[in-house]
Amino acid sequence: MKQDSMDLSAHSRDQSIELQPLDRCEVAIDRVQEIELVHRLDKRLLLFAMFGNLVKTLDNTNLGSAFISGMEEELNVTGLEYNWMGVLFTIGYLIMQIPSNILLSNKRPSRYLPMMELVWSILTVAMACVQSVKGVYVIRFLLGLAEAGFYPGVVFLIGSWYTKKELGKRLAMLTIFGAFGSGLSGVVQAIMLKTMDGVFGVSGWRWMFLFDASVTVVLALTGFQYLPDYPHNTDWLSPLERTIAMQRSDSNTPHDEKPTTTRLQRFKSLLKNPYLYLFMVSWAAVHISLGAVHVLGIVAKKLGFDSVTSNLLTTPDTIITMLAGLCNGFISDKYRTRIACIVIPAFIGLFGMSLLALFVQPFAILYIAFLLTHAGLGSLTSIVMTWASESISSESEIRAMAIAIMNTSSSLMWVWTPLVLWPVTNAPYYHKGFTTSCFLILLFIACMSFTAFLQKRKEQNTTVTTTTNIEQIVPLLQPQQ
């Protein structure tokens, strides 16, 4: 009986240990067990995030592929109607992005994110059945609402599980698969035009949306089964794995405790953070500039290439950007540098954009300019997001709001840039868009350089303060004469 009582007491102590804050009870992390946990996260969380971003980008870029593959003629799209389709998507995206990320920080990601994917798969089927431009307007707006929370949501979730030294290459993989989705759109559309156009009386561009919807449904159902929540409430973690995960996330307060500040106070605290505005402006500038690479197919079509060739020209561009992003992410993590892996690719992108602004000929040189622009700017986006996650705040909800604000700032630009910088009526030259993007890349480089300067100065001040404190304390420890 005494032994049973001792066992019960020990069991109670074990349970209390699991519920204690990690700053009061840290366990030594076994490296083998930590590696096993990271591998499980890669299989469940990272794979879902990568393929989810691929499908999301595929859905977004398919509008452009459909436009040059028969939708323009079949729906009688004229003037700026194509650009308004993108603007309405952006408006929906803006309305829902920050509320969606706040909901995600308080709900179970394993239910919320897959549910959003199911909704946008239904809307993608609707795109395959649309019969008018006004119908496209409505669907694109609703699609923006449904997709708004996915990218900032998975970035926030990944940041909740992985350490700083692991984030760079994983967010690079996330970005790479997004780029792959952009290139895959042209390949899928070319295949549909060659093999499915006219089958059952359905146009090839409509079959492409049906293909997208089917892939999205499969991914959503997989997410319900395998996607984790947060380190403190994921069902399939063992108690030891949960302890390791929570220590890895550098959380000093258990997630199930009520915050000591209100959401409004945390939001005000975020607004006082100077890094937020630098990253917000930088993120918006680089994404406006990336609009240049999305008009490659339209430029090719307007210069006389057929629909299949115009779609396929986007694929090599995507592959090169994927490889550049992967290499940049690994270099950033290996050498523990963010600014170098941001500024150097930005200058490469600036060189390519300058050639586009000059609209150099023949087309082969112009195409190389598109490749340089996309590889340079596309390879640095994951590093910027990683750096923002590390710099702005360690508190989960503040980080979620910051990521959402960054994405909202870039999305807000797409309310007007398709109409001003990238109207289809300006194809193929897009002189205003390419020239403006050159100046925006310079603004991006300046903001990121100033961010690095502020961080270095903060580190120096911290070192000086620590040294001063030690000098003040040490004399007190000396024996009196």
Side-chain angles (χ1 to χ4, degrees):
M1 185 70 179
K2 184 176 180 181
Q3 181 64 39
D4 293 340
S5 177
M6 292 174 63
D7 291 343
L8 180 60
S9 176
H11 179 68
S12 299
R13 287 196 302 270
D14 289 343
Q15 286 187 322
S16 66
I17 287 174
E18 292 169 16
L19 296 175
Q20 287 176 356
L22 291 175
D23 58 338
R24 284 178 283 172
C25 181
E26 292 190 358
V27 299
I29 296 179
D30 183 273
R31 182 57 181 163
V32 175
Q33 292 173 330
E34 184 182 12
I35 291 174
E36 290 177 355
L37 174 62
V38 172
H39 286 169
R40 292 188 75 188
L41 291 173
D42 288 342
K43 293 176 183 178
R44 288 173 173 263
L45 171 57
L46 187 61
L47 280 178
F48 174 86
M50 291 190 304
F51 282 100
N53 199 33
L54 184 152
V55 172
K56 176 182 177 298
T57 310
L58 188 64
D59 286 345
N60 291 341
T61 54
N62 274 351
L63 181 66
S65 298
F67 178 76
I68 63 176
S69 302
M71 186 179 78
E72 179 182 12
E73 295 80 9
E74 192 168 333
L75 298 184
N76 192 27
V77 181
T78 58
L80 296 178
E81 289 177 340
Y82 167 75
N83 297 100
W84 276 108
M85 294 173 187
V87 169
L88 288 168
F89 174 88
T90 302
I91 292 173
Y93 199 88
L94 284 169
I95 290 172
M96 194 61 187
Q97 190 167 88
I98 292 179
S100 180
N101 235 35
I102 292 176
L103 283 173
L104 180 67
S105 67
N106 293 280
K107 303 296 181 182
R108 296 185 60 187
S110 63
R111 297 295 175 265
Y112 184 78
L113 292 175
M115 183 60 67
M116 290 298 97
E117 287 193 325
L118 283 180
V119 172
W120 94 51
S121 68
I122 294 171
L123 293 170
T124 305
V125 172
M127 274 297 297
C129 303
V130 72
Q131 297 297 323
S132 67
V133 170
K134 290 182 179 179
V136 176
Y137 287 166
V138 174
I139 296 169
R140 293 290 294 177
F141 174 75
L142 295 176
L143 198 58
L145 293 176
E147 292 189 13
F150 183 83
Y151 181 77
V154 294
V155 169
F156 166 68
L157 188 59
I158 288 173
S160 301
W161 282 96
Y162 291 101
T163 62
K164 290 182 178 181
K165 67 180 181 180
E166 298 164 348
L167 270 178
K169 48 183 168 287
R170 283 165 177 82
L171 290 182
M173 293 296 293
L174 181 67
T175 303
I176 286 166
F177 267 66
F180 183 61
S182 178
L184 188 63
S185 174
V187 175
V188 172
Q189 185 62 82
I191 292 173
M192 295 301 171
L193 286 173
K194 286 289 188 180
T195 62
M196 300 296 292
D197 192 29
V199 176
F200 301 117
V202 178
S203 303
W205 64 270
R206 296 182 187 273
W207 279 111
M208 179 181 60
F209 286 113
L210 292 174
F211 171 81
D212 293 350
S214 63
V215 174
T216 307
V217 169
V218 172
L219 185 65
L221 296 178
T222 303
F224 281 121
Q225 182 68 28
Y226 293 103
L227 191 65
D229 294 307
Y230 297 108
H232 73 287
N233 66 347
T234 297
D235 296 336
W236 44 263
L237 288 179
S238 68
L240 179 59
E241 286 176 326
R242 182 172 292 110
T243 302
I244 294 174
M246 293 180 72
Q247 286 188 220
R248 279 167 44 84
S249 67
D250 295 326
S251 175
N252 293 321
T253 304
H255 291 262
D256 53 353
E257 282 188 4
K258 292 184 178 180
T260 57
T261 57
T262 65
R263 181 170 295 157
L264 180 59
Q265 289 174 324
R266 293 193 292 277
F267 183 68
K268 288 181 178 179
S269 173
L270 174 62
L271 294 180
K272 295 177 182 178
N273 191 322
Y275 294 122
L276 172 67
Y277 301 100
L278 289 169
F279 280 110
M280 186 171 66
V281 172
S282 302
W283 197 244
V286 76
H287 277 82
I288 293 174
S289 303
L290 277 169
V293 305
H294 298 311
V295 300
L296 171 57
I298 296 176
V299 169
K301 181 71 178 295
K302 296 298 183 179
L303 288 177
F305 292 91
D306 60 60
S307 297
V308 174
T309 303
S310 298
N311 278 299
L312 291 177
L313 281 171
T314 61
T315 303
D317 170 49
T318 300
I319 294 173
I320 292 172
T321 302
M322 287 173 57
L323 294 175
L326 182 62
C327 293
N328 202 29
F330 275 91
I331 291 171
S332 177
D333 279 353
K334 181 176 180 179
Y335 294 101
R336 302 298 299 149
T337 177
R338 303 302 186 208
I339 185 63
C341 291
I342 290 173
V343 171
I344 294 174
F347 274 111
I348 295 174
L350 177 62
F351 177 69
M353 191 70 74
S354 300
L355 295 179
L356 292 177
L358 295 171
F359 210 76
V360 292
Q361 292 295 313
F363 180 77
I365 300 178
L366 188 70
Y367 187 65
I368 291 174
F370 273 108
L371 298 181
L372 291 173
T373 302
H374 200 183
L377 301 182
S379 65
L380 60 79
T381 54
S382 64
I383 311 300
V384 174
M385 186 59 75
T386 302
W387 200 16
S389 297
E390 295 170 348
S391 304
I392 293 175
S393 178
S394 59
E395 188 174 336
S396 62
E397 188 169 356
I398 292 179
R399 193 171 71 250
M401 288 189 289
I403 293 171
I405 289 172
M406 285 176 60
N407 280 281
T408 301
S409 69
S410 65
S411 300
L412 186 61
M413 300 300 103
W414 283 95
V415 172
W416 60 272
T417 53
L419 302 173
V420 177
L421 299 182
W422 314 111
V424 71
T425 51
N426 283 0
Y429 300 105
Y430 290 110
H431 179 71
K432 183 188 294 184
F434 293 142
T435 304
T436 303
S437 295
C438 290
F439 289 102
L440 289 173
I441 295 172
L442 290 173
L443 174 63
F444 168 80
I445 293 171
C447 288
M448 290 291 90
S449 299
F450 188 60
T451 301
F453 167 75
L454 289 180
Q455 283 200 341
K456 186 175 181 179
R457 189 175 66 176
K458 181 180 179 181
E459 291 171 0
Q460 290 174 343
N461 291 339
T462 302
T463 302
V464 171
T465 302
T466 304
T467 304
T468 303
N469 290 339
I470 292 174
E471 291 175 350
Q472 291 174 347
I473 292 172
V474 169
L476 298 176
L477 297 178
Q478 294 176 349
Q480 296 181 352
Q481 297 297 327

